[in-house]
Amino acid sequence: SSGVGDSTQAKSPDLADFSSSNKAERSWVVIPSVMLDWISKLNGPWWIKIDIGVLVLRYIWFMKNASIVADKLLQVRAVKLSPDHPFTWASGWKSPIYCDNRKVLAHPYERDYLKSELANVIFEEFPDADVLAGVATAGIAWGAMAADQLKLPFCYVRPKPKDHGLGNQIEGDLQPGQSVVVVEDLISTGKSSLQVVEVLRSAGVQVAGMVALFSYGFPEADRAFEEANVKLLTLSQYPALIERAL
């Protein structure tokens, strides 16, 4: 989630170092045409075929975008490898790979692309959202940018209440009953991200779901989000990242 791994790692190789710069792009035209031809031959009412076709095209669109987002992360060298000295994630897990999405903030064109993708997903999947809530700290920038593009109110949630000032844990003008979409930068086990969901629910708001830039795709995270009844959408995932890097 939002916590940073061991920041003392030095000279960690980037996955981009192992990626071919001249790799041919996958054809995203052949796949949907074949699938739609298969759907047209199915038995059943035409409206069911249309529903299946829409679902297939949405899935293909999602997978294509996941690969593009993975490319952006690789281009800015946000992905680090350290097999000999594993990184420590916020969950306490050790891993030879670390995806530092904060690095994208320093690259205007890649940053703008990911911001637009976040806004698009929120607009399409959560059209009734009243507020966006960023997970402190890494989700704040992405949530604020998406909220600005969508012209929605924004707030952010701290890991714990401040020990000075107003003692707030939620910063912003949040009202009970509002529909909130949580914005996170990265999902590993999902523990710290779901803690934010609990804080928001305790404040009397409805958490419509969560959108993150990247997920490692651990089954533990999938189970945690399912048990918490939280819809999770991510712009890209570990399999797409590895596929684009190799």
Side-chain angles (χ1 to χ4, degrees), residues 3-4 6 11 59 61 66-67 80-81 102-103 139 153 160 169 183 189 193 199 205 207 225-226 241 245-246:
V4 183
D6 294 340
K11 297 182 180 179
Y59 175 77
W61 173 85
S67 294
K80 302 295 182 181
L81 290 176
R102 292 174 176 83
K103 196 163 186 179
K160 60 182 179 179
Q169 186 167 7
V183 179
T189 64
S193 303
V199 171
V205 302
V207 177
F225 276 89
E226 184 177 355
L241 183 70
L246 297 178

Short mmCIF file of all heavy atoms in Angstrom, two decimals, residues 3-4 6 11 59 61 66-67 80-81 102-103 139 153 160 169 183 189 193 199 205 207 225-226 241 245-246:
data_model
loop_
_atom_site.label_atom_id
_atom_site.label_comp_id
_atom_site.label_asym_id
_atom_site.label_seq_id
_atom_site.Cartn_x
_atom_site.Cartn_y
_atom_site.Cartn_z
N GLY A 3 2.91 2.68 2.09
CA GLY A 3 4.20 2.75 2.74
C GLY A 3 5.33 2.46 1.78
O GLY A 3 5.22 1.67 0.87
N VAL A 4 6.49 3.11 1.98
CA VAL A 4 7.64 2.93 1.12
C VAL A 4 8.51 1.83 1.68
O VAL A 4 8.65 1.68 2.88
CB VAL A 4 8.46 4.24 1.02
CG1 VAL A 4 9.62 4.07 0.08
CG2 VAL A 4 7.58 5.37 0.56
N ASP A 6 12.38 -0.22 1.82
CA ASP A 6 13.68 0.24 2.29
C ASP A 6 14.23 1.28 1.33
O ASP A 6 14.59 0.97 0.20
CB ASP A 6 14.66 -0.94 2.38
CG ASP A 6 14.24 -1.93 3.45
OD1 ASP A 6 13.47 -1.53 4.33
OD2 ASP A 6 14.68 -3.08 3.39
N LYS A 11 21.59 1.51 -6.21
CA LYS A 11 21.92 0.94 -7.51
C LYS A 11 21.13 -0.31 -7.83
O LYS A 11 21.64 -1.27 -8.40
CB LYS A 11 23.42 0.63 -7.59
CG LYS A 11 24.30 1.87 -7.46
CD LYS A 11 25.76 1.53 -7.59
CE LYS A 11 26.64 2.78 -7.46
NZ LYS A 11 28.07 2.48 -7.57
N TYR A 59 -13.22 -6.05 -21.43
CA TYR A 59 -12.09 -6.80 -20.88
C TYR A 59 -10.83 -6.56 -21.70
O TYR A 59 -9.74 -6.33 -21.16
CB TYR A 59 -12.43 -8.29 -20.83
CG TYR A 59 -11.27 -9.15 -20.36
CD1 TYR A 59 -10.93 -9.22 -19.02
CD2 TYR A 59 -10.52 -9.88 -21.28
CE1 TYR A 59 -9.87 -9.99 -18.59
CE2 TYR A 59 -9.45 -10.66 -20.86
CZ TYR A 59 -9.13 -10.71 -19.52
OH TYR A 59 -8.07 -11.47 -19.10
N TRP A 61 -10.21 -3.99 -23.63
CA TRP A 61 -9.79 -2.60 -23.42
C TRP A 61 -9.03 -2.48 -22.11
O TRP A 61 -7.99 -1.81 -22.03
CB TRP A 61 -11.04 -1.72 -23.40
CG TRP A 61 -10.78 -0.30 -23.02
CD1 TRP A 61 -10.38 0.73 -23.82
CD2 TRP A 61 -10.90 0.27 -21.70
NE1 TRP A 61 -10.24 1.88 -23.09
CE2 TRP A 61 -10.56 1.64 -21.80
CE3 TRP A 61 -11.29 -0.25 -20.46
CZ2 TRP A 61 -10.58 2.48 -20.68
CZ3 TRP A 61 -11.30 0.60 -19.36
CH2 TRP A 61 -10.95 1.95 -19.49
N ALA A 66 -3.91 -1.85 -19.18
CA ALA A 66 -3.02 -2.35 -18.14
C ALA A 66 -1.59 -2.47 -18.68
O ALA A 66 -0.62 -2.15 -17.98
CB ALA A 66 -3.50 -3.70 -17.63
N SER A 67 -1.46 -2.89 -19.94
CA SER A 67 -0.14 -3.00 -20.55
C SER A 67 0.47 -1.63 -20.80
O SER A 67 1.67 -1.42 -20.61
CB SER A 67 -0.24 -3.77 -21.87
OG SER A 67 -0.60 -5.12 -21.65
N LYS A 80 11.87 -1.37 -9.35
CA LYS A 80 13.23 -1.70 -8.92
C LYS A 80 13.34 -3.18 -8.57
O LYS A 80 12.41 -3.78 -8.04
CB LYS A 80 13.61 -0.87 -7.70
CG LYS A 80 13.54 0.63 -7.92
CD LYS A 80 14.56 1.11 -8.94
CE LYS A 80 14.51 2.62 -9.10
NZ LYS A 80 15.48 3.08 -10.12
N LEU A 81 14.51 -3.75 -8.87
CA LEU A 81 14.82 -5.14 -8.51
C LEU A 81 16.00 -5.18 -7.55
O LEU A 81 17.00 -4.49 -7.77
CB LEU A 81 15.18 -5.94 -9.77
CG LEU A 81 14.06 -6.23 -10.77
CD1 LEU A 81 14.63 -6.94 -11.99
CD2 LEU A 81 12.98 -7.08 -10.12
N ARG A 102 5.50 6.80 -6.90
CA ARG A 102 5.77 8.22 -6.64
C ARG A 102 6.68 8.82 -7.71
O ARG A 102 6.62 10.02 -7.98
CB ARG A 102 6.43 8.39 -5.27
CG ARG A 102 5.54 8.07 -4.08
CD ARG A 102 6.37 8.14 -2.81
NE ARG A 102 5.59 7.93 -1.61
CZ ARG A 102 5.25 6.75 -1.12
NH1 ARG A 102 5.64 5.66 -1.76
NH2 ARG A 102 4.55 6.65 -0.03
N LYS A 103 7.52 7.98 -8.28
CA LYS A 103 8.48 8.48 -9.27
C LYS A 103 7.77 9.05 -10.50
O LYS A 103 8.30 9.92 -11.18
CB LYS A 103 9.43 7.35 -9.67
CG LYS A 103 10.69 7.84 -10.37
CD LYS A 103 11.77 6.78 -10.38
CE LYS A 103 13.05 7.33 -10.95
NZ LYS A 103 14.14 6.32 -10.93
N GLY A 139 -1.30 8.19 -2.01
CA GLY A 139 -2.54 8.33 -2.76
C GLY A 139 -3.07 9.75 -2.82
O GLY A 139 -4.02 10.03 -3.56
N PRO A 153 -15.18 16.94 -5.00
CA PRO A 153 -14.49 17.27 -3.75
C PRO A 153 -13.44 16.21 -3.44
O PRO A 153 -13.54 15.06 -3.87
CB PRO A 153 -15.61 17.25 -2.70
CG PRO A 153 -16.87 17.46 -3.48
CD PRO A 153 -16.64 16.80 -4.81
N LYS A 160 -3.22 7.49 11.11
CA LYS A 160 -3.73 7.66 12.47
C LYS A 160 -4.01 9.15 12.68
O LYS A 160 -3.48 10.00 11.96
CB LYS A 160 -2.73 7.14 13.50
CG LYS A 160 -1.37 7.82 13.46
CD LYS A 160 -0.43 7.20 14.48
CE LYS A 160 0.95 7.87 14.43
NZ LYS A 160 1.86 7.29 15.43
N GLN A 169 -8.05 12.72 11.60
CA GLN A 169 -7.52 11.62 10.79
C GLN A 169 -7.99 11.75 9.35
O GLN A 169 -7.27 11.39 8.43
CB GLN A 169 -7.96 10.26 11.35
CG GLN A 169 -7.30 9.08 10.63
CD GLN A 169 -7.48 7.77 11.35
OE1 GLN A 169 -8.19 7.68 12.35
NE2 GLN A 169 -6.82 6.73 10.88
N VAL A 183 -8.77 6.45 -3.41
CA VAL A 183 -7.70 6.41 -4.42
C VAL A 183 -6.40 6.04 -3.73
O VAL A 183 -5.98 6.69 -2.77
CB VAL A 183 -7.56 7.77 -5.13
CG1 VAL A 183 -6.42 7.71 -6.15
CG2 VAL A 183 -8.86 8.15 -5.83
N THR A 189 -0.83 -6.33 0.15
CA THR A 189 -1.76 -7.19 0.89
C THR A 189 -3.12 -6.52 1.07
O THR A 189 -4.11 -7.18 1.36
CB THR A 189 -1.20 -7.54 2.28
OG1 THR A 189 -1.09 -6.34 3.05
CG2 THR A 189 0.15 -8.21 2.17
N SER A 193 -4.67 -0.19 3.13
CA SER A 193 -5.71 0.44 2.30
C SER A 193 -7.09 0.20 2.90
O SER A 193 -7.93 1.11 2.93
CB SER A 193 -5.65 -0.13 0.88
OG SER A 193 -4.38 0.06 0.30
N VAL A 199 -11.94 3.55 8.49
CA VAL A 199 -12.00 4.90 9.05
C VAL A 199 -13.11 5.70 8.39
O VAL A 199 -13.88 6.40 9.06
CB VAL A 199 -10.64 5.62 8.85
CG1 VAL A 199 -10.75 7.10 9.24
CG2 VAL A 199 -9.55 4.95 9.68
N VAL A 205 -19.78 7.54 6.07
CA VAL A 205 -19.91 7.65 4.61
C VAL A 205 -20.01 6.27 3.98
O VAL A 205 -19.67 5.25 4.61
CB VAL A 205 -18.72 8.42 3.99
CG1 VAL A 205 -18.61 9.81 4.59
CG2 VAL A 205 -17.41 7.64 4.17
N VAL A 207 -18.54 3.81 1.26
CA VAL A 207 -17.37 3.59 0.41
C VAL A 207 -17.81 2.79 -0.82
O VAL A 207 -18.11 1.60 -0.73
CB VAL A 207 -16.25 2.84 1.16
CG1 VAL A 207 -15.07 2.56 0.23
CG2 VAL A 207 -15.80 3.66 2.37
N PHE A 225 -10.26 -7.81 0.28
CA PHE A 225 -11.21 -6.86 -0.29
C PHE A 225 -12.60 -7.47 -0.42
O PHE A 225 -13.61 -6.79 -0.22
CB PHE A 225 -10.71 -6.36 -1.65
CG PHE A 225 -9.74 -5.22 -1.55
CD1 PHE A 225 -8.38 -5.46 -1.42
CD2 PHE A 225 -10.18 -3.91 -1.57
CE1 PHE A 225 -7.47 -4.42 -1.31
CE2 PHE A 225 -9.30 -2.85 -1.45
CZ PHE A 225 -7.94 -3.11 -1.32
N GLU A 226 -12.63 -8.76 -0.75
CA GLU A 226 -13.92 -9.44 -0.85
C GLU A 226 -14.60 -9.51 0.51
O GLU A 226 -15.81 -9.25 0.63
CB GLU A 226 -13.73 -10.84 -1.43
CG GLU A 226 -15.03 -11.59 -1.66
CD GLU A 226 -14.82 -12.95 -2.30
OE1 GLU A 226 -13.65 -13.27 -2.66
OE2 GLU A 226 -15.80 -13.70 -2.44
N LEU A 241 2.92 -6.11 -15.94
CA LEU A 241 4.25 -5.50 -15.80
C LEU A 241 5.35 -6.45 -16.25
O LEU A 241 6.24 -6.09 -17.02
CB LEU A 241 4.46 -5.09 -14.35
CG LEU A 241 5.77 -4.36 -14.03
CD1 LEU A 241 5.76 -2.97 -14.63
CD2 LEU A 241 5.99 -4.29 -12.53
N ALA A 245 7.95 -6.27 -19.47
CA ALA A 245 9.38 -6.14 -19.17
C ALA A 245 10.21 -7.20 -19.86
O ALA A 245 11.40 -6.99 -20.16
CB ALA A 245 9.59 -6.20 -17.67
N LEU A 246 9.61 -8.38 -20.11
CA LEU A 246 10.39 -9.49 -20.64
C LEU A 246 10.46 -9.46 -22.17
O LEU A 246 9.62 -8.88 -22.81
CB LEU A 246 9.77 -10.81 -20.18
CG LEU A 246 9.78 -11.03 -18.66
CD1 LEU A 246 9.11 -12.36 -18.31
CD2 LEU A 246 11.20 -10.99 -18.12
#
